[in-house]
């Protein structure tokens, strides 16, 4: 919400010395987020005056049309003689009043004006457009043409209100009343302790039976509908400069008088309005839900197919507007420039259901100033005042006549009351405010308060966010100042540090970072589209998601069930920006519903929840295991003077899983598998032993080429994802530090020939078990296939390192341990010592 300070002063008598920065500080202190204070006209220096075009000479022989004008600027130039000015714009004629900047002036952006020779003429100043004066868009994209009543030489800086300060306020969804000058003025008055001149306090005639006919078929969707009619409007009437300037400063473009008036009243009171050309409305106005498949062309020229949940405004022909969002093109107000401008209008001021409007706006991807306000809550009692204010302005500015008929349809409703102990804000904040302070603050926000120890609070109609005692307590606390709340840190019990689980998670992150991976944090949201791109089957457990009620994006409405979409998205973005050698990792929660979740209970905030309440909340949550994942692409080892380097392969993703398992002191078992989104021939299932049973830990390998293509990833992208909760259960006691021996190592190499289908992991496990306690490490350093070893065979070469903790091993001891390892591998896998 953009709030011009000059407009705000109409409702609150701020001290003359108060600047926009001062007002910003006050509003921030009462809980409004004022993002910026913009100074319009900063650096502007006159003379800037009204001028009347006397003559126009068309200059020939140039690439674009150029005009040499003489302009009467009164005595502003010191001589009273016409000012000669060269101008390229063509939207003005002889006799028009324009804005002229004279030599010696400075325009915004430190643009100094001086007489200069151009196109063979000397131009003594410039005829200005809105862009050159920093006024914003007025829709003309040309020279400012003023109404004829202003005399040449009039100061245009004051006339156009060019120097002002505009506060840009980020209004949170619960403070919808601040999307109006009325709401911001109320907060300003409270912050300064000054009285408020409420612009909604108007004399409004009572409804009668001869107003414009209206029929509301859905009183839940439309609780209030007010209709007023104004006739005899002058089609040529234009919005006055002061109204245009206020709209521009508030971020809206002037269109026509009738439209500008409805926009102005919306900004002033927070009540969206709509004006229909009465000659284009056929029959009574109705409010109902749309029929599935009905069509409506909205004011933006788009033909929309309506949903059965959409709330629409109708006449005898059908829908003429999308209620609370945008009007229809069939009843649009005709511009004064058209052959037959609008002379009679029907003004709509209604109150629509916030949820219905929000869903309609999102369904049609059509956010408007009206929908923005309705979905945050509009004062239902402001409709009649807003309609009256609109009528008054149209009568004043367009010479219209207000018809006596007043239509007002209102669904029965009672004021919302809340019972609250007088000391409830004290207990919530931990501060002794006292009853008098609580009552005073609640009355300042518009509440009626009765009672002594037990307060009965009637909430004002413009505050639908005040629903329970805690909301009232928050109002008292914010107005008394959040900065005045005591800051008390809890005292942790001594002798307790991180849990084993926390230490394990941190070690995993440090280990992956040490292995060359860069941590990336991604949003925990996904959509069906990315699950399709990953090639997941329809019955895959990762497709059972938790859908958010109010997602940030319609494309990603669910909580993630896997870390891979976010990581692969980060890899794609980095690759697209020129970083092709990538190794990323992430640890975080995924959300896997079981279908047994219960409905969540709402916990109290004025006391500690009971164990049963906390257990009920936990039962409503999906299973949230913590996972770790890595993705790789490009070079794993860079080329240089030290060697050629090598690309990242599926083996690196498996090694990342081994790195994680080593941090927990757990042995990892690797087996071939087929599991989306990995390549069926380059996918490894990772297992760890939990309570004596092998348990699936995760998967690693190279992604399927189809997935790589769908996600626009680099070729042969690899990935790994494991569940850290499973790893935690696999930990058997405290992690043992490695033994360090001071005695020399004995190295033995063996090359074993096995069938091509025998996994290297099974051979390795047999060698480890057969070698016994003397084996310090075992490494596969070569895999060979060829005619020398026979068809369907492969050679696996291992380096075995033996060491004893208390002595130097003899050759015979090392050889015996090697032979024992080979013998067990031969018995289990059919391995034959190569060359034997």
């Amino acid at each position: 919400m953009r709030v011009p300070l000059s407009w705000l002063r109409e409702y609150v008598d701020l001290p003359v010395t108060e600047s926009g920065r001062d007002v910003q500080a006050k509003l921030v202190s009462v809980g409004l987020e004022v993002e910026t204070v913009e100074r319009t006209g900063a650096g502007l220096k006159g003379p800037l005056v009204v001028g009347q075009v006397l003559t126009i000479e068309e200059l020939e022989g140039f690439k674009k049309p150029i005009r040499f004008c003489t302009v009467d600027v009164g005595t502003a130039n010191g001589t009273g003689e016409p000012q000669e000015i060269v101008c390229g714009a063509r939207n003005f004629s002889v006799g028009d009043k324009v804005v002229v900047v004279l030599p010696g002036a400075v325009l915004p952006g430190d643009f100094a004006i001086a007489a200069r020779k151009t196109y063979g003429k000397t131009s003594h100043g410039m005829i200005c457009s809105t862009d050159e004066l920093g006024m914003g868009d007025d829709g003309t994209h040309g020279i400012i043409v003023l109404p004829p009543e202003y005399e040449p030489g009039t100061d245009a800086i004051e006339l156009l209100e060019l120097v002002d300060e505009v506060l840009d306020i980020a209004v949170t969804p619960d403070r919808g009343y601040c999307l109006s000058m009325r709401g911001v003025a109320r907060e300003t008055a409270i912050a300064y302790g000054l009285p408020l001149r409420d612009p909604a306090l108007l004399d409004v005639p009572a409804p009668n039976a001869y107003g414009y006919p209206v029929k509301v078929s859905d009183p839940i969707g439309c609780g209030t509908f007010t209709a007023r009619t104004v006739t005899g409007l002058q089609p040529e009437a234009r919005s006055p400069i002061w109204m245009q300037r206020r709209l521009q400063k508030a971020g809206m473009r002037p269109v026509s008088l009738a439209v500008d008036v409805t926009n102005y009243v919306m900004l002033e009171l927070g009540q969206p309005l709509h004006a229909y050309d009465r000659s284009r409305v056929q029959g009574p106005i109705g409010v109902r839900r749309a029929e599935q498949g009905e069509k409506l062309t909205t004011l933006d020229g788009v033909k929309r197919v309506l949903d059965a949940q959409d709330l629409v405004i109708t006449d005898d022909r059908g829908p003429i507007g999308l209620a609370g969002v945008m009007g229809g093109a069939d009843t649009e107000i005709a511009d004064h420039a058209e052959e037959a401008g609008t002379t009679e209008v029907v003004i709509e001021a209604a109150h629509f259901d916030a949820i219905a409007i929000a869903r309609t706006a999102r369904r049609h991807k059509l956010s408007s100033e009206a929908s923005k306000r309705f979905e945050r809550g509009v004062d239902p009692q402001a409709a009649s005042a807003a309609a009256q204010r609109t009528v008054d302005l149209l009568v004043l500015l367009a010479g219209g006549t207000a018809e006596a008929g007043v239509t007002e349809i209102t669904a029965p409703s009672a004021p919302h009351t809340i019972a609250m102990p007088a000391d409830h804000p004290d207990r919530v904040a931990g501060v002794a405010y006292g009853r008098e302070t609580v009552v005073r603050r609640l009355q300042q926000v518009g509440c009626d308060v009765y009672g002594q120890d037990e307060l009965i609070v009637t909430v004002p109609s413009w505050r639908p966010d005040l629903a329970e005692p805690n909301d009232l307590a928050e109002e008292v606390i914010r107005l008394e100042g959040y900065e005045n709340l005591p800051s008390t840190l809890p005292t942790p019990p001594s002798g307790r540090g991180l849990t084993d689980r926390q230490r394990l998670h941190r070690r995993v992150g440090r280990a992956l970072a040490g292995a060359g991976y860069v941590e990336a944090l991604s949003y925990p949201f996904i959509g069906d589209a990315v699950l399709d791109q990953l090639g997941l089957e329809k019955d895959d457990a990762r497709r059972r998601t938790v859908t958010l009620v109010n997602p940030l994006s319609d494309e990603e409405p669910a909580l993630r069930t896997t870390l891979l979409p976010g990581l692969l998205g980060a890899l794609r973005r980095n690759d697209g920006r020129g970083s092709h050698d990538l190794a990323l990792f992430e640890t975080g929660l995924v959300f896997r519903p079981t279908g047994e979740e219960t409905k969540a209970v709402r916990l109290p905030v004025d006391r500690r929840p009971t164990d049963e309440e906390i257990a009920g909340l936990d039962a409503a949550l999906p299973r949230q295991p913590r996972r770790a994942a890595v993705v790789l692409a490009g070079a794993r080892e860079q080329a240089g003077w030290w060697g050629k380097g090598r690309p990242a392969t599926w083996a690196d993703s498996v090694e990342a899983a081994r790195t994680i398992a080593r941090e927990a002191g757990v042995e990892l078992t690797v087996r071939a598998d087929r599991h989306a989104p990995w390549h069926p021939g380059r996918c490894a299932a990772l297992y760890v032993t939990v309570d004596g049973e092998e348990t699936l830990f995760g998967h690693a390998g190279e992604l399927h080429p189809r997935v790589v293509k769908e996600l626009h990833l680099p070729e042969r992208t690899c990935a790994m994802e494991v569940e850290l909760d499973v790893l935690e259960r696999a930990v058997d006691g405290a992690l043992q530090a490695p033994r360090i021996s001071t005695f020399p190592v004995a190295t033995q190499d063996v090359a074993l020939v096995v069938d091509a289908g025998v996994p290297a992991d099974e051979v390795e496990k047999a060698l480890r078990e057969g070698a016994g306690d003397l084996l310090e490490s075992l490494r596969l350093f070569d895999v060979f296939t060829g005619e020398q070893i026979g068809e369907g065979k492969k050679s696996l070469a291992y380096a075995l390192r033996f060491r004893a903790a208390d002595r130097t091993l003899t050759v015979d001891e090392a050889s015996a341990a090697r032979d024992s390892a080979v013998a067990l591998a031969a018995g289990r896998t059919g391995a034959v010592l190569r060359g034997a």
Side-chain angles (χ1 to χ4, degrees):
M1 176 68 185
R2 290 173 57 84
V3 178
L5 188 58
S6 59
W7 194 357
L8 184 63
R9 289 181 183 274
E10 282 198 5
Y11 313 116
V12 184
D13 288 327
L14 296 173
V16 178
T17 57
E18 288 293 283
S19 67
R21 293 290 183 187
D22 298 327
V23 178
Q24 177 189 29
K26 285 287 189 179
L27 291 179
V28 169
S29 71
V30 294
L32 287 184
E33 185 180 346
V34 184
E35 294 187 327
T36 61
V37 177
E38 176 188 339
R39 294 189 60 194
T40 63
L44 178 63
K45 176 184 175 184
L48 185 72
V49 298
V50 175
Q52 183 173 18
V53 180
L54 300 178
T55 65
I56 298 176
E57 178 188 349
E58 300 289 347
L59 302 182
E60 305 292 340
F62 299 102
K63 293 183 179 179
K64 61 180 181 178
I66 298 296
R67 312 169 97 186
F68 180 65
C69 309
T70 59
V71 184
D72 177 12
V73 294
T75 60
N77 57 4
T79 65
E81 296 295 325
Q83 201 79 1
E84 296 179 339
I85 299 175
V86 175
C87 183
R90 308 190 65 79
N91 67 311
F92 63 95
S93 307
V94 172
D96 283 345
K97 300 290 179 66
V98 294
V99 178
V100 178
V101 58
L102 300 176
V106 179
L107 294 184
D110 198 26
F111 180 34
I113 302 299
R116 64 190 184 97
K117 191 168 184 178
T118 179
Y119 297 103
K121 300 285 187 179
T122 300
S123 182
H124 298 274
M126 186 168 68
I127 302 176
C128 299
S129 68
T130 55
D131 290 338
E132 289 160 344
L133 297 180
M135 294 171 57
D137 182 19
D138 66 349
T140 64
H141 303 291
I143 294 302
I144 303 170
V145 179
L146 300 171
E149 60 264 25
Y150 298 106
E151 292 296 324
T154 303
D155 184 0
I157 295 178
E158 182 177 350
L159 174 66
L160 298 177
E161 301 178 14
L162 296 178
V163 179
D164 201 352
E165 292 182 280
V166 180
L167 286 70
D168 193 351
I169 302 175
V171 180
T172 53
D174 61 327
R175 307 285 288 279
Y177 67 98
C178 285
L179 286 172
S180 67
M181 295 299 302
R182 181 194 185 199
V184 175
R186 184 179 300 279
E187 293 296 317
T188 306
I190 294 172
Y192 278 92
L194 296 171
L196 168 71
R197 286 189 291 273
D198 190 344
L201 296 179
L202 300 174
D203 291 330
V204 179
N208 49 55
Y210 42 92
Y212 197 91
V214 174
K215 181 180 180 181
V216 177
S217 302
D218 189 341
I220 295 177
C222 178
T224 300
F225 195 106
T226 299
R228 299 288 298 275
T229 304
V230 180
T231 61
L233 298 178
Q234 299 172 6
E236 69 279 2
R238 297 174 55 184
S239 303
I241 289 177
W242 61 265
M243 180 177 287
Q244 294 187 40
R245 290 297 295 130
R246 287 185 174 181
L247 290 174
Q248 288 173 331
K249 291 175 188 177
M252 302 188 76
R253 181 174 64 85
V255 178
S256 64
L257 178 58
V259 175
D260 292 349
V261 167
T262 58
N263 287 336
Y264 180 84
V265 176
M266 178 185 69
L267 292 174
E268 185 178 51
L269 301 182
Q271 168 68 54
L273 302 108
H274 192 73
Y276 300 94
D277 188 331
R278 185 176 180 178
S279 63
R280 299 186 180 186
V281 179
Q282 298 180 12
I285 292 177
V287 183
R288 61 169 172 83
R289 298 286 175 169
E291 296 178 6
Q292 188 69 36
E294 272 190 306
K295 296 180 180 180
L296 168 68
T297 301
T298 47
L299 287 174
D300 57 359
V302 177
K303 191 172 185 179
R304 303 182 184 277
V305 179
L306 304 180
D307 186 89
Q309 294 302 312
D310 292 334
L311 202 62
V312 293
I313 310 297
T314 64
D315 66 2
D316 289 344
R317 295 167 297 178
I320 59 172
L322 208 50
V325 180
M326 186 174 286
D330 289 342
T331 56
E332 182 179 5
I333 296 293
D335 189 83
H336 62 82
E338 299 181 17
E339 291 183 5
T342 298
T343 59
E344 298 181 350
V345 297
V346 178
I347 299 160
E348 165 208 308
H351 183 267
F352 300 111
D353 178 62
I355 295 176
I357 300 306
R359 289 176 175 171
T360 295
R362 179 166 295 179
R363 190 180 297 118
H364 293 280
K365 296 181 173 58
L366 185 61
S367 179
S368 65
E369 292 292 335
S371 68
K372 187 191 304 181
R373 286 163 172 80
F374 277 122
E375 65 190 28
R376 287 164 173 78
V378 169
D379 183 1
Q381 297 184 11
S384 58
Q388 182 63 45
R389 176 68 165 147
T390 305
V391 168
D392 292 343
L393 288 171
L394 288 175
V395 170
L396 175 67
L397 302 175
T401 300
E403 288 195 351
V406 177
T407 303
E408 186 171 317
I409 299 177
T410 303
S413 63
H416 179 51
T417 59
I418 303 171
M420 179 186 74
D423 63 346
H424 182 69
D426 302 19
R427 291 187 286 114
V428 172
V431 176
Y433 292 123
R435 179 188 176 281
E436 290 186 2
T437 299
V438 171
V439 172
R440 176 171 57 86
R441 289 303 190 184
L442 292 178
Q443 288 175 339
Q444 283 180 329
V445 300
C447 297
D448 291 330
V449 185
Y450 304 95
Q452 292 298 318
D453 295 337
E454 185 78 11
L455 301 180
I456 303 300
V457 182
T458 302
V459 174
S461 57
W462 59 85
R463 292 299 302 271
D465 58 303
L466 302 181
E468 59 179 0
N470 293 322
D471 298 326
L472 301 178
E474 183 181 1
E475 290 298 294
V476 175
I477 294 168
R478 76 174 179 90
L479 294 180
E480 284 294 305
Y482 290 120
E483 69 277 6
N484 297 322
L485 292 177
S487 178
T488 306
L489 294 175
T491 303
S494 60
R496 298 183 185 178
L498 299 176
T499 64
D500 292 339
R501 175 186 176 90
Q502 291 169 328
R503 282 195 291 268
L504 174 61
H505 294 166
R506 293 194 180 189
R507 287 203 311 272
V508 166
R510 284 195 294 266
L512 290 174
Y517 292 87
V518 177
E519 186 171 16
L521 300 177
S522 57
Y523 288 115
F525 309 119
I526 60 172
D528 289 338
V530 74
L531 299 178
D532 294 336
Q533 291 170 329
L534 290 176
L536 304 187
E537 298 291 338
K538 291 184 179 180
D539 58 348
D540 195 298
R542 288 168 289 180
R543 282 192 177 273
R544 292 197 296 272
T545 58
V546 177
T547 303
L548 300 175
V549 174
N550 189 23
L552 293 177
S553 169
D554 290 337
E555 285 73 31
E556 295 179 327
L559 293 173
R560 67 187 177 191
T561 56
T562 168
L563 298 179
L564 291 182
L567 267 183
L568 293 173
L571 184 140
R572 179 178 61 248
R573 286 190 297 273
N574 281 274
D575 180 72
R577 287 161 174 77
S579 298
H580 303 301
D581 303 322
L582 297 162
L584 308 177
F585 85 93
E586 181 176 8
T587 60
L589 299 178
V590 298
F591 306 86
R592 307 296 287 271
T594 61
E596 299 177 358
E597 291 81 9
T598 60
K599 185 177 181 179
V601 296
R602 191 168 188 177
L603 298 183
V605 297
D606 57 343
R607 61 174 174 80
R608 185 189 184 280
T610 64
D611 293 340
E612 291 77 12
E613 288 172 331
I614 295 175
L617 187 64
D618 289 339
L621 298 176
R623 192 171 70 89
Q624 301 178 51
R626 182 171 291 273
R627 295 196 163 203
V630 305
V631 292
L632 306 99
R636 184 67 178 130
E637 294 178 1
Q638 296 290 337
W641 57 266
W642 53 84
K644 295 181 179 180
R646 67 174 183 84
T649 67
W650 62 267
D652 293 298
S653 63
V654 175
E655 182 58 28
R658 293 187 188 277
T659 300
I660 293 174
R662 280 195 294 269
E663 287 301 312
V666 172
E667 184 177 351
L668 190 68
T669 301
V670 181
R671 292 197 179 93
D673 197 8
R674 298 171 67 92
H675 187 70
W678 284 275
H679 190 297
R682 302 189 183 102
C683 174
L686 312 172
Y687 294 88
V688 294
T689 301
V690 178
D691 297 331
E693 294 184 3
E694 277 194 350
T695 303
L696 183 65
F697 176 41
H699 288 85
E702 181 182 317
L703 294 182
H704 197 291
R706 186 167 53 248
V707 174
V708 170
K709 182 179 179 180
E710 287 285 339
L711 293 175
H712 306 289
L713 300 172
E715 290 185 1
R716 314 205 71 159
T717 296
C718 300
M720 177 276 295
E721 184 174 19
V722 294
E723 190 163 316
L724 296 181
D725 290 355
V726 173
L727 182 67
E728 184 183 358
R729 298 201 306 270
V731 175
D732 185 14
L735 185 63
Q736 298 295 319
R739 293 179 300 171
I740 299 175
S741 174
T742 59
F743 294 93
V745 67
T747 303
Q748 297 276 351
D749 293 345
V750 295
L752 303 176
V753 178
V754 297
D755 292 338
V758 175
D761 183 68
E762 292 186 12
V763 178
E764 181 177 327
K765 289 178 66 174
L767 289 174
R768 287 183 183 278
E769 185 178 341
D773 294 338
L774 294 179
L775 182 66
E776 182 179 81
S777 67
L778 182 150
R779 179 173 63 88
L780 175 67
F781 66 86
D782 184 58
V783 178
F784 176 75
T785 57
E787 296 179 357
Q788 297 91 326
I789 58 173
E791 186 177 354
K793 300 288 185 179
K794 63 181 177 182
S795 172
L796 305 176
Y798 292 91
L800 291 77
R801 292 167 58 91
F802 299 98
R803 195 193 310 255
D806 56 350
R807 68 188 187 281
T808 298
L809 293 178
T810 65
V811 174
D812 291 340
E813 287 177 309
S815 298
R818 181 202 63 188
D819 293 342
S820 176
V822 171
L824 186 59
R828 288 188 177 177
T829 66
V832 176
L833 194 63
R834 186 174 174 182

